[in-house]
Amino acid sequence: MATIATAIPTLASVRMLPWARSNLNPTAQALIISTAAGAAYFIVADKTVLASARKNSFSA
């Protein structure tokens, strides 16, 4: 879900910005999109793992 939520605005900005459209080839555009989507995925995964660890930790 986070990947899709990040990829759509990133894809739109890469495709709609005149500078990016004229200066970046499709491979560079895809790399930008996949990097942003991957970062969002790992941020959400990290938050999920931390929330699970807090829930399952021993209370002193």
Side-chain angles (χ1 to χ4, degrees):
M1 191 65 148
T3 304
I4 294 169
T6 306
I8 291 172
T10 307
L11 175 63
S13 65
V14 168
R15 294 288 181 179
M16 292 181 181
L17 290 173
W19 178 87
R21 191 174 36 190
S22 63
N23 292 319
L24 298 176
N25 63 15
T27 304
Q29 293 175 7
L31 183 61
I32 291 169
I33 293 164
S34 63
T35 302
Y41 174 80
F42 283 111
I43 289 169
V44 170
D46 184 51
K47 288 183 180 287
T48 304
V49 167
L50 286 174
S52 178
R54 283 190 194 105
K55 186 177 78 172
N56 295 325
S57 68
F58 297 113
S59 54

mmCIF file of all heavy atoms in Angstrom:
data_model
loop_
_atom_site.group_PDB
_atom_site.id
_atom_site.type_symbol
_atom_site.label_atom_id
_atom_site.label_comp_id
_atom_site.label_asym_id
_atom_site.label_seq_id
_atom_site.Cartn_x
_atom_site.Cartn_y
_atom_site.Cartn_z
ATOM 1 N N MET A 1 0.823 -1.189 0.000
ATOM 2 C CA MET A 1 0.000 0.000 0.000
ATOM 3 C C MET A 1 0.872 1.260 0.000
ATOM 4 O O MET A 1 0.597 2.201 -0.730
ATOM 5 C CB MET A 1 -0.919 -0.034 1.227
ATOM 6 C CG MET A 1 -1.978 1.008 1.190
ATOM 7 S SD MET A 1 -3.082 0.713 -0.169
ATOM 8 C CE MET A 1 -4.566 1.312 0.480
ATOM 9 N N ALA A 2 1.911 1.247 0.826
ATOM 10 C CA ALA A 2 2.811 2.410 0.880
ATOM 11 C C ALA A 2 3.541 2.598 -0.441
ATOM 12 O O ALA A 2 3.777 3.729 -0.866
ATOM 13 C CB ALA A 2 3.803 2.242 2.016
ATOM 14 N N THR A 3 3.882 1.501 -1.082
ATOM 15 C CA THR A 3 4.582 1.594 -2.364
ATOM 16 C C THR A 3 3.720 2.277 -3.409
ATOM 17 O O THR A 3 4.180 3.159 -4.133
ATOM 18 C CB THR A 3 4.980 0.188 -2.841
ATOM 19 O OG1 THR A 3 5.763 -0.431 -1.829
ATOM 20 C CG2 THR A 3 5.757 0.244 -4.126
ATOM 21 N N ILE A 4 2.457 1.897 -3.453
ATOM 22 C CA ILE A 4 1.534 2.497 -4.419
ATOM 23 C C ILE A 4 1.298 3.960 -4.085
ATOM 24 O O ILE A 4 1.303 4.820 -4.966
ATOM 25 C CB ILE A 4 0.209 1.711 -4.452
ATOM 26 C CG1 ILE A 4 0.459 0.304 -4.998
ATOM 27 C CG2 ILE A 4 -0.831 2.429 -5.297
ATOM 28 C CD1 ILE A 4 -0.689 -0.631 -4.835
ATOM 29 N N ALA A 5 1.114 4.257 -2.803
ATOM 30 C CA ALA A 5 0.864 5.639 -2.390
ATOM 31 C C ALA A 5 2.046 6.543 -2.693
ATOM 32 O O ALA A 5 1.869 7.733 -2.936
ATOM 33 C CB ALA A 5 0.535 5.680 -0.898
ATOM 34 N N THR A 6 3.234 6.010 -2.707
ATOM 35 C CA THR A 6 4.417 6.809 -3.023
ATOM 36 C C THR A 6 4.695 6.845 -4.520
ATOM 37 O O THR A 6 5.104 7.868 -5.054
ATOM 38 C CB THR A 6 5.644 6.229 -2.304
ATOM 39 O OG1 THR A 6 5.344 6.143 -0.917
ATOM 40 C CG2 THR A 6 6.856 7.090 -2.491
ATOM 41 N N ALA A 7 4.471 5.728 -5.185
ATOM 42 C CA ALA A 7 4.813 5.641 -6.603
ATOM 43 C C ALA A 7 3.944 6.529 -7.475
ATOM 44 O O ALA A 7 4.434 7.116 -8.441
ATOM 45 C CB ALA A 7 4.709 4.194 -7.067
ATOM 46 N N ILE A 8 2.675 6.670 -7.150
ATOM 47 C CA ILE A 8 1.774 7.448 -8.007
ATOM 48 C C ILE A 8 2.174 8.923 -8.065
ATOM 49 O O ILE A 8 2.355 9.460 -9.160
ATOM 50 C CB ILE A 8 0.307 7.244 -7.575
ATOM 51 C CG1 ILE A 8 -0.112 5.810 -7.906
ATOM 52 C CG2 ILE A 8 -0.611 8.249 -8.260
ATOM 53 C CD1 ILE A 8 -1.447 5.408 -7.371
ATOM 54 N N PRO A 9 2.348 9.622 -6.922
ATOM 55 C CA PRO A 9 2.769 11.014 -7.048
ATOM 56 C C PRO A 9 4.179 11.177 -7.619
ATOM 57 O O PRO A 9 4.446 12.137 -8.344
ATOM 58 C CB PRO A 9 2.723 11.560 -5.623
ATOM 59 C CG PRO A 9 2.288 10.467 -4.755
ATOM 60 C CD PRO A 9 2.049 9.256 -5.568
ATOM 61 N N THR A 10 5.062 10.222 -7.333
ATOM 62 C CA THR A 10 6.414 10.303 -7.891
ATOM 63 C C THR A 10 6.371 10.125 -9.399
ATOM 64 O O THR A 10 7.014 10.869 -10.137
ATOM 65 C CB THR A 10 7.322 9.235 -7.267
ATOM 66 O OG1 THR A 10 7.254 9.342 -5.850
ATOM 67 C CG2 THR A 10 8.749 9.392 -7.715
ATOM 68 N N LEU A 11 5.604 9.169 -9.865
ATOM 69 C CA LEU A 11 5.445 8.951 -11.305
ATOM 70 C C LEU A 11 4.847 10.182 -11.964
ATOM 71 O O LEU A 11 5.314 10.627 -13.013
ATOM 72 C CB LEU A 11 4.565 7.727 -11.558
ATOM 73 C CG LEU A 11 4.208 7.432 -13.013
ATOM 74 C CD1 LEU A 11 5.465 7.114 -13.810
ATOM 75 C CD2 LEU A 11 3.226 6.281 -13.092
ATOM 76 N N ALA A 12 3.833 10.745 -11.341
ATOM 77 C CA ALA A 12 3.197 11.934 -11.914
ATOM 78 C C ALA A 12 4.173 13.096 -11.979
ATOM 79 O O ALA A 12 4.228 13.810 -12.994
ATOM 80 C CB ALA A 12 1.981 12.310 -11.084
ATOM 81 N N SER A 13 4.959 13.300 -10.932
ATOM 82 C CA SER A 13 5.887 14.435 -10.942
ATOM 83 C C SER A 13 7.000 14.233 -11.963
ATOM 84 O O SER A 13 7.399 15.176 -12.637
ATOM 85 C CB SER A 13 6.467 14.665 -9.551
ATOM 86 O OG SER A 13 7.255 13.578 -9.165
ATOM 87 N N VAL A 14 7.496 13.010 -12.101
ATOM 88 C CA VAL A 14 8.553 12.753 -13.080
ATOM 89 C C VAL A 14 8.023 12.925 -14.494
ATOM 90 O O VAL A 14 8.706 13.465 -15.358
ATOM 91 C CB VAL A 14 9.140 11.341 -12.874
ATOM 92 C CG1 VAL A 14 10.025 10.934 -14.030
ATOM 93 C CG2 VAL A 14 9.940 11.288 -11.586
ATOM 94 N N ARG A 15 6.797 12.509 -14.732
ATOM 95 C CA ARG A 15 6.230 12.619 -16.075
ATOM 96 C C ARG A 15 5.753 14.030 -16.408
ATOM 97 O O ARG A 15 5.738 14.408 -17.566
ATOM 98 C CB ARG A 15 5.040 11.657 -16.217
ATOM 99 C CG ARG A 15 5.415 10.204 -16.139
ATOM 100 C CD ARG A 15 6.131 9.769 -17.363
ATOM 101 N NE ARG A 15 6.459 8.352 -17.264
ATOM 102 C CZ ARG A 15 7.081 7.696 -18.207
ATOM 103 N NH1 ARG A 15 7.446 8.299 -19.296
ATOM 104 N NH2 ARG A 15 7.372 6.423 -18.045
ATOM 105 N N MET A 16 5.357 14.815 -15.426
ATOM 106 C CA MET A 16 4.761 16.120 -15.695
ATOM 107 C C MET A 16 5.756 17.286 -15.630
ATOM 108 O O MET A 16 5.492 18.325 -16.215
ATOM 109 C CB MET A 16 3.612 16.384 -14.729
ATOM 110 C CG MET A 16 2.434 15.494 -14.959
ATOM 111 S SD MET A 16 1.124 15.874 -13.808
ATOM 112 C CE MET A 16 -0.076 14.671 -14.279
ATOM 113 N N LEU A 17 6.846 17.120 -14.890
ATOM 114 C CA LEU A 17 7.821 18.205 -14.826
ATOM 115 C C LEU A 17 8.546 18.313 -16.166
ATOM 116 O O LEU A 17 9.131 17.339 -16.628
ATOM 117 C CB LEU A 17 8.844 17.955 -13.717
ATOM 118 C CG LEU A 17 8.324 18.073 -12.292
ATOM 119 C CD1 LEU A 17 9.393 17.633 -11.306
ATOM 120 C CD2 LEU A 17 7.911 19.497 -12.002
ATOM 121 N N PRO A 18 8.501 19.479 -16.790
ATOM 122 C CA PRO A 18 9.145 19.612 -18.107
ATOM 123 C C PRO A 18 10.645 19.288 -18.075
ATOM 124 O O PRO A 18 11.161 18.651 -18.989
ATOM 125 C CB PRO A 18 8.912 21.071 -18.478
ATOM 126 C CG PRO A 18 7.771 21.518 -17.645
ATOM 127 C CD PRO A 18 7.797 20.679 -16.401
ATOM 128 N N TRP A 19 11.330 19.709 -17.002
ATOM 129 C CA TRP A 19 12.766 19.432 -16.926
ATOM 130 C C TRP A 19 13.027 17.933 -16.864
ATOM 131 O O TRP A 19 13.894 17.417 -17.578
ATOM 132 C CB TRP A 19 13.365 20.107 -15.685
ATOM 133 C CG TRP A 19 14.818 19.806 -15.546
ATOM 134 C CD1 TRP A 19 15.839 20.489 -16.108
ATOM 135 C CD2 TRP A 19 15.398 18.705 -14.840
ATOM 136 N NE1 TRP A 19 17.035 19.896 -15.787
ATOM 137 C CE2 TRP A 19 16.796 18.792 -15.015
ATOM 138 C CE3 TRP A 19 14.887 17.660 -14.090
ATOM 139 C CZ2 TRP A 19 17.670 17.882 -14.449
ATOM 140 C CZ3 TRP A 19 15.761 16.748 -13.536
ATOM 141 C CH2 TRP A 19 17.130 16.863 -13.715
ATOM 142 N N ALA A 20 12.297 17.237 -16.019
ATOM 143 C CA ALA A 20 12.513 15.794 -15.869
ATOM 144 C C ALA A 20 12.154 15.057 -17.149
ATOM 145 O O ALA A 20 12.854 14.136 -17.562
ATOM 146 C CB ALA A 20 11.690 15.259 -14.702
ATOM 147 N N ARG A 21 11.091 15.485 -17.783
ATOM 148 C CA ARG A 21 10.656 14.795 -19.004
ATOM 149 C C ARG A 21 11.675 14.978 -20.124
ATOM 150 O O ARG A 21 11.945 14.059 -20.883
ATOM 151 C CB ARG A 21 9.284 15.303 -19.424
ATOM 152 C CG ARG A 21 8.646 14.467 -20.503
ATOM 153 C CD ARG A 21 7.254 14.912 -20.796
ATOM 154 N NE ARG A 21 7.142 16.376 -20.690
ATOM 155 C CZ ARG A 21 6.008 17.030 -20.699
ATOM 156 N NH1 ARG A 21 4.881 16.368 -20.814
ATOM 157 N NH2 ARG A 21 5.978 18.326 -20.605
ATOM 158 N N SER A 22 12.273 16.163 -20.209
ATOM 159 C CA SER A 22 13.204 16.412 -21.311
ATOM 160 C C SER A 22 14.628 15.939 -21.014
ATOM 161 O O SER A 22 15.376 15.630 -21.926
ATOM 162 C CB SER A 22 13.218 17.901 -21.659
ATOM 163 O OG SER A 22 13.687 18.651 -20.559
ATOM 164 N N ASN A 23 15.011 15.868 -19.748
ATOM 165 C CA ASN A 23 16.396 15.538 -19.416
ATOM 166 C C ASN A 23 16.613 14.135 -18.876
ATOM 167 O O ASN A 23 17.757 13.697 -18.781
ATOM 168 C CB ASN A 23 16.945 16.548 -18.396
ATOM 169 C CG ASN A 23 17.088 17.919 -19.003
ATOM 170 O OD1 ASN A 23 17.523 18.060 -20.131
ATOM 171 N ND2 ASN A 23 16.715 18.929 -18.252
ATOM 172 N N LEU A 24 15.570 13.448 -18.486
ATOM 173 C CA LEU A 24 15.729 12.101 -17.930
ATOM 174 C C LEU A 24 15.127 11.080 -18.888
ATOM 175 O O LEU A 24 13.976 11.214 -19.311
ATOM 176 C CB LEU A 24 15.036 11.996 -16.571
ATOM 177 C CG LEU A 24 15.564 12.910 -15.469
ATOM 178 C CD1 LEU A 24 14.721 12.767 -14.231
ATOM 179 C CD2 LEU A 24 17.011 12.609 -15.162
ATOM 180 N N ASN A 25 15.894 10.061 -19.194
ATOM 181 C CA ASN A 25 15.363 9.008 -20.052
ATOM 182 C C ASN A 25 14.432 8.105 -19.233
ATOM 183 O O ASN A 25 14.376 8.207 -18.003
ATOM 184 C CB ASN A 25 16.498 8.223 -20.719
ATOM 185 C CG ASN A 25 17.369 7.514 -19.728
ATOM 186 O OD1 ASN A 25 17.018 7.364 -18.563
ATOM 187 N ND2 ASN A 25 18.535 7.077 -20.185
ATOM 188 N N PRO A 26 13.682 7.224 -19.878
ATOM 189 C CA PRO A 26 12.739 6.365 -19.132
ATOM 190 C C PRO A 26 13.404 5.506 -18.062
ATOM 191 O O PRO A 26 12.803 5.232 -17.023
ATOM 192 C CB PRO A 26 12.120 5.496 -20.223
ATOM 193 C CG PRO A 26 12.216 6.322 -21.459
ATOM 194 C CD PRO A 26 13.509 7.085 -21.329
ATOM 195 N N THR A 27 14.641 5.095 -18.276
ATOM 196 C CA THR A 27 15.337 4.296 -17.266
ATOM 197 C C THR A 27 15.580 5.112 -16.006
ATOM 198 O O THR A 27 15.364 4.632 -14.888
ATOM 199 C CB THR A 27 16.674 3.779 -17.824
ATOM 200 O OG1 THR A 27 16.419 3.046 -19.010
ATOM 201 C CG2 THR A 27 17.385 2.911 -16.819
ATOM 202 N N ALA A 28 16.001 6.353 -16.155
ATOM 203 C CA ALA A 28 16.226 7.219 -14.995
ATOM 204 C C ALA A 28 14.916 7.506 -14.273
ATOM 205 O O ALA A 28 14.867 7.532 -13.042
ATOM 206 C CB ALA A 28 16.880 8.525 -15.439
ATOM 207 N N GLN A 29 13.858 7.726 -15.024
ATOM 208 C CA GLN A 29 12.555 7.967 -14.405
ATOM 209 C C GLN A 29 12.108 6.745 -13.612
ATOM 210 O O GLN A 29 11.616 6.872 -12.486
ATOM 211 C CB GLN A 29 11.525 8.314 -15.471
ATOM 212 C CG GLN A 29 11.803 9.641 -16.148
ATOM 213 C CD GLN A 29 10.846 9.927 -17.278
ATOM 214 O OE1 GLN A 29 9.886 9.193 -17.493
ATOM 215 N NE2 GLN A 29 11.108 10.986 -18.017
ATOM 216 N N ALA A 30 12.281 5.559 -14.176
ATOM 217 C CA ALA A 30 11.904 4.332 -13.473
ATOM 218 C C ALA A 30 12.752 4.135 -12.220
ATOM 219 O O ALA A 30 12.252 3.677 -11.190
ATOM 220 C CB ALA A 30 12.045 3.134 -14.399
ATOM 221 N N LEU A 31 14.036 4.494 -12.283
ATOM 222 C CA LEU A 31 14.903 4.367 -11.127
ATOM 223 C C LEU A 31 14.466 5.298 -10.002
ATOM 224 O O LEU A 31 14.437 4.903 -8.835
ATOM 225 C CB LEU A 31 16.350 4.662 -11.529
ATOM 226 C CG LEU A 31 17.401 4.507 -10.437
ATOM 227 C CD1 LEU A 31 17.415 3.072 -9.932
ATOM 228 C CD2 LEU A 31 18.756 4.889 -10.967
ATOM 229 N N ILE A 32 14.090 6.521 -10.333
ATOM 230 C CA ILE A 32 13.597 7.462 -9.322
ATOM 231 C C ILE A 32 12.329 6.923 -8.672
ATOM 232 O O ILE A 32 12.181 6.944 -7.450
ATOM 233 C CB ILE A 32 13.352 8.841 -9.952
ATOM 234 C CG1 ILE A 32 14.684 9.479 -10.345
ATOM 235 C CG2 ILE A 32 12.586 9.750 -9.002
ATOM 236 C CD1 ILE A 32 14.541 10.705 -11.210
ATOM 237 N N ILE A 33 11.416 6.429 -9.474
ATOM 238 C CA ILE A 33 10.141 5.913 -8.963
ATOM 239 C C ILE A 33 10.373 4.694 -8.070
ATOM 240 O O ILE A 33 9.832 4.596 -6.974
ATOM 241 C CB ILE A 33 9.203 5.563 -10.130
ATOM 242 C CG1 ILE A 33 8.806 6.847 -10.853
ATOM 243 C CG2 ILE A 33 7.972 4.810 -9.646
ATOM 244 C CD1 ILE A 33 8.213 6.619 -12.208
ATOM 245 N N SER A 34 11.213 3.761 -8.530
ATOM 246 C CA SER A 34 11.421 2.545 -7.737
ATOM 247 C C SER A 34 12.190 2.843 -6.449
ATOM 248 O O SER A 34 11.942 2.201 -5.425
ATOM 249 C CB SER A 34 12.150 1.486 -8.565
ATOM 250 O OG SER A 34 13.432 1.940 -8.930
ATOM 251 N N THR A 35 13.078 3.819 -6.470
ATOM 252 C CA THR A 35 13.793 4.196 -5.256
ATOM 253 C C THR A 35 12.845 4.786 -4.226
ATOM 254 O O THR A 35 12.895 4.430 -3.043
ATOM 255 C CB THR A 35 14.920 5.192 -5.579
ATOM 256 O OG1 THR A 35 15.807 4.595 -6.524
ATOM 257 C CG2 THR A 35 15.686 5.585 -4.346
ATOM 258 N N ALA A 36 11.980 5.674 -4.656
ATOM 259 C CA ALA A 36 11.013 6.282 -3.737
ATOM 260 C C ALA A 36 10.048 5.232 -3.193
ATOM 261 O O ALA A 36 9.733 5.221 -1.994
ATOM 262 C CB ALA A 36 10.247 7.390 -4.448
ATOM 263 N N ALA A 37 9.592 4.341 -4.058
ATOM 264 C CA ALA A 37 8.673 3.292 -3.615
ATOM 265 C C ALA A 37 9.359 2.327 -2.647
ATOM 266 O O ALA A 37 8.774 1.926 -1.638
ATOM 267 C CB ALA A 37 8.131 2.532 -4.825
ATOM 268 N N GLY A 38 10.593 1.973 -2.928
ATOM 269 C CA GLY A 38 11.336 1.083 -2.029
ATOM 270 C C GLY A 38 11.594 1.717 -0.683
ATOM 271 O O GLY A 38 11.485 1.065 0.356
ATOM 272 N N ALA A 39 11.916 3.004 -0.677
ATOM 273 C CA ALA A 39 12.137 3.702 0.591
ATOM 274 C C ALA A 39 10.863 3.718 1.425
ATOM 275 O O ALA A 39 10.897 3.480 2.636
ATOM 276 C CB ALA A 39 12.625 5.124 0.332
ATOM 277 N N ALA A 40 9.738 3.988 0.793
ATOM 278 C CA ALA A 40 8.467 4.000 1.518
ATOM 279 C C ALA A 40 8.159 2.619 2.088
ATOM 280 O O ALA A 40 7.689 2.500 3.226
ATOM 281 C CB ALA A 40 7.343 4.453 0.599
ATOM 282 N N TYR A 41 8.427 1.578 1.316
ATOM 283 C CA TYR A 41 8.173 0.217 1.786
ATOM 284 C C TYR A 41 8.993 -0.087 3.034
ATOM 285 O O TYR A 41 8.476 -0.609 4.021
ATOM 286 C CB TYR A 41 8.501 -0.782 0.669
ATOM 287 C CG TYR A 41 8.406 -2.213 1.112
ATOM 288 C CD1 TYR A 41 7.173 -2.844 1.205
ATOM 289 C CD2 TYR A 41 9.538 -2.935 1.453
ATOM 290 C CE1 TYR A 41 7.077 -4.153 1.624
ATOM 291 C CE2 TYR A 41 9.450 -4.247 1.871
ATOM 292 C CZ TYR A 41 8.225 -4.848 1.953
ATOM 293 O OH TYR A 41 8.136 -6.137 2.383
ATOM 294 N N PHE A 42 10.278 0.251 3.014
ATOM 295 C CA PHE A 42 11.133 -0.064 4.155
ATOM 296 C C PHE A 42 10.806 0.796 5.368
ATOM 297 O O PHE A 42 10.931 0.336 6.500
ATOM 298 C CB PHE A 42 12.603 0.046 3.776
ATOM 299 C CG PHE A 42 13.076 -1.136 2.984
ATOM 300 C CD1 PHE A 42 13.406 -1.011 1.653
ATOM 301 C CD2 PHE A 42 13.152 -2.391 3.567
ATOM 302 C CE1 PHE A 42 13.821 -2.103 0.915
ATOM 303 C CE2 PHE A 42 13.561 -3.495 2.843
ATOM 304 C CZ PHE A 42 13.896 -3.348 1.513
ATOM 305 N N ILE A 43 10.376 2.023 5.160
ATOM 306 C CA ILE A 43 9.965 2.862 6.292
ATOM 307 C C ILE A 43 8.742 2.266 6.966
ATOM 308 O O ILE A 43 8.674 2.159 8.195
ATOM 309 C CB ILE A 43 9.712 4.309 5.827
ATOM 310 C CG1 ILE A 43 11.044 4.968 5.482
ATOM 311 C CG2 ILE A 43 8.980 5.110 6.896
ATOM 312 C CD1 ILE A 43 10.900 6.288 4.763
ATOM 313 N N VAL A 44 7.753 1.852 6.181
ATOM 314 C CA VAL A 44 6.547 1.246 6.749
ATOM 315 C C VAL A 44 6.885 -0.073 7.428
ATOM 316 O O VAL A 44 6.388 -0.364 8.520
ATOM 317 C CB VAL A 44 5.467 1.052 5.658
ATOM 318 C CG1 VAL A 44 4.311 0.214 6.163
ATOM 319 C CG2 VAL A 44 4.964 2.403 5.179
ATOM 320 N N ALA A 45 7.755 -0.875 6.820
ATOM 321 C CA ALA A 45 8.146 -2.152 7.435
ATOM 322 C C ALA A 45 8.857 -1.912 8.755
ATOM 323 O O ALA A 45 8.608 -2.623 9.741
ATOM 324 C CB ALA A 45 9.039 -2.928 6.476
ATOM 325 N N ASP A 46 9.728 -0.912 8.811
ATOM 326 C CA ASP A 46 10.448 -0.599 10.048
ATOM 327 C C ASP A 46 9.476 -0.169 11.136
ATOM 328 O O ASP A 46 9.585 -0.611 12.277
ATOM 329 C CB ASP A 46 11.477 0.493 9.782
ATOM 330 C CG ASP A 46 12.318 0.793 11.001
ATOM 331 O OD1 ASP A 46 12.855 -0.171 11.581
ATOM 332 O OD2 ASP A 46 12.432 1.969 11.369
ATOM 333 N N LYS A 47 8.524 0.668 10.794
ATOM 334 C CA LYS A 47 7.537 1.105 11.783
ATOM 335 C C LYS A 47 6.695 -0.076 12.269
ATOM 336 O O LYS A 47 6.361 -0.158 13.445
ATOM 337 C CB LYS A 47 6.642 2.194 11.192
ATOM 338 C CG LYS A 47 7.354 3.511 11.019
ATOM 339 C CD LYS A 47 6.401 4.569 10.492
ATOM 340 C CE LYS A 47 7.097 5.874 10.306
ATOM 341 N NZ LYS A 47 7.404 6.557 11.537
ATOM 342 N N THR A 48 6.372 -0.991 11.383
ATOM 343 C CA THR A 48 5.593 -2.166 11.760
ATOM 344 C C THR A 48 6.380 -3.065 12.706
ATOM 345 O O THR A 48 5.847 -3.548 13.711
ATOM 346 C CB THR A 48 5.175 -2.953 10.506
ATOM 347 O OG1 THR A 48 4.468 -2.078 9.629
ATOM 348 C CG2 THR A 48 4.307 -4.134 10.853
ATOM 349 N N VAL A 49 7.649 -3.277 12.400
ATOM 350 C CA VAL A 49 8.488 -4.115 13.260
ATOM 351 C C VAL A 49 8.652 -3.475 14.634
ATOM 352 O O VAL A 49 8.566 -4.151 15.667
ATOM 353 C CB VAL A 49 9.855 -4.370 12.593
ATOM 354 C CG1 VAL A 49 10.846 -4.964 13.563
ATOM 355 C CG2 VAL A 49 9.692 -5.270 11.388
ATOM 356 N N LEU A 50 8.885 -2.166 14.665
ATOM 357 C CA LEU A 50 9.038 -1.488 15.953
ATOM 358 C C LEU A 50 7.750 -1.538 16.777
ATOM 359 O O LEU A 50 7.793 -1.745 17.990
ATOM 360 C CB LEU A 50 9.462 -0.034 15.733
ATOM 361 C CG LEU A 50 10.908 0.166 15.294
ATOM 362 C CD1 LEU A 50 11.158 1.631 14.970
ATOM 363 C CD2 LEU A 50 11.863 -0.310 16.357
ATOM 364 N N ALA A 51 6.611 -1.360 16.124
ATOM 365 C CA ALA A 51 5.337 -1.427 16.839
ATOM 366 C C ALA A 51 5.119 -2.832 17.400
ATOM 367 O O ALA A 51 4.653 -2.995 18.538
ATOM 368 C CB ALA A 51 4.195 -1.035 15.912
ATOM 369 N N SER A 52 5.457 -3.845 16.635
ATOM 370 C CA SER A 52 5.316 -5.220 17.104
ATOM 371 C C SER A 52 6.272 -5.505 18.260
ATOM 372 O O SER A 52 5.898 -6.174 19.226
ATOM 373 C CB SER A 52 5.578 -6.183 15.949
ATOM 374 O OG SER A 52 5.485 -7.502 16.377
ATOM 375 N N ALA A 53 7.490 -4.996 18.176
ATOM 376 C CA ALA A 53 8.460 -5.201 19.248
ATOM 377 C C ALA A 53 8.007 -4.527 20.538
ATOM 378 O O ALA A 53 8.158 -5.082 21.624
ATOM 379 C CB ALA A 53 9.826 -4.678 18.827
ATOM 380 N N ARG A 54 7.456 -3.338 20.413
ATOM 381 C CA ARG A 54 6.955 -2.647 21.611
ATOM 382 C C ARG A 54 5.799 -3.416 22.246
ATOM 383 O O ARG A 54 5.694 -3.510 23.454
ATOM 384 C CB ARG A 54 6.494 -1.236 21.250
ATOM 385 C CG ARG A 54 7.618 -0.270 21.057
ATOM 386 C CD ARG A 54 7.110 1.163 20.946
ATOM 387 N NE ARG A 54 8.139 2.027 20.432
ATOM 388 C CZ ARG A 54 8.196 2.511 19.200
ATOM 389 N NH1 ARG A 54 7.220 2.228 18.347
ATOM 390 N NH2 ARG A 54 9.175 3.268 18.822
ATOM 391 N N LYS A 55 4.944 -3.943 21.400
ATOM 392 C CA LYS A 55 3.772 -4.678 21.907
ATOM 393 C C LYS A 55 4.196 -5.959 22.603
ATOM 394 O O LYS A 55 3.610 -6.349 23.623
ATOM 395 C CB LYS A 55 2.823 -4.992 20.748
ATOM 396 C CG LYS A 55 1.529 -5.624 21.191
ATOM 397 C CD LYS A 55 0.593 -5.853 20.020
ATOM 398 C CE LYS A 55 1.052 -7.073 19.278
ATOM 399 N NZ LYS A 55 0.128 -7.515 18.239
ATOM 400 N N ASN A 56 5.231 -6.605 22.079
ATOM 401 C CA ASN A 56 5.646 -7.899 22.615
ATOM 402 C C ASN A 56 6.786 -7.822 23.618
ATOM 403 O O ASN A 56 7.260 -8.855 24.087
ATOM 404 C CB ASN A 56 6.057 -8.818 21.460
ATOM 405 C CG ASN A 56 4.897 -9.152 20.553
ATOM 406 O OD1 ASN A 56 3.777 -9.284 21.021
ATOM 407 N ND2 ASN A 56 5.154 -9.261 19.268
ATOM 408 N N SER A 57 7.233 -6.628 23.959
ATOM 409 C CA SER A 57 8.361 -6.511 24.883
ATOM 410 C C SER A 57 7.892 -6.788 26.308
ATOM 411 O O SER A 57 6.718 -6.665 26.649
ATOM 412 C CB SER A 57 8.987 -5.131 24.787
ATOM 413 O OG SER A 57 8.084 -4.165 25.280
ATOM 414 N N PHE A 58 8.845 -7.161 27.129
ATOM 415 C CA PHE A 58 8.537 -7.410 28.537
ATOM 416 C C PHE A 58 8.419 -6.077 29.264
ATOM 417 O O PHE A 58 9.238 -5.188 29.091
ATOM 418 C CB PHE A 58 9.652 -8.241 29.182
ATOM 419 C CG PHE A 58 9.794 -9.595 28.592
ATOM 420 C CD1 PHE A 58 10.934 -9.937 27.874
ATOM 421 C CD2 PHE A 58 8.800 -10.548 28.744
ATOM 422 C CE1 PHE A 58 11.075 -11.181 27.330
ATOM 423 C CE2 PHE A 58 8.927 -11.781 28.199
ATOM 424 C CZ PHE A 58 10.076 -12.119 27.478
ATOM 425 N N SER A 59 7.407 -5.952 30.080
ATOM 426 C CA SER A 59 7.282 -4.737 30.884
ATOM 427 C C SER A 59 7.941 -4.995 32.233
ATOM 428 O O SER A 59 7.701 -6.001 32.879
ATOM 429 C CB SER A 59 5.828 -4.337 31.057
ATOM 430 O OG SER A 59 5.091 -5.414 31.583
ATOM 431 N N ALA A 60 8.764 -4.063 32.641
ATOM 432 C CA ALA A 60 9.548 -4.264 33.865
ATOM 433 C C ALA A 60 8.791 -3.912 35.102
ATOM 434 O O ALA A 60 7.918 -3.320 35.357
ATOM 435 C CB ALA A 60 10.806 -3.435 33.813
#
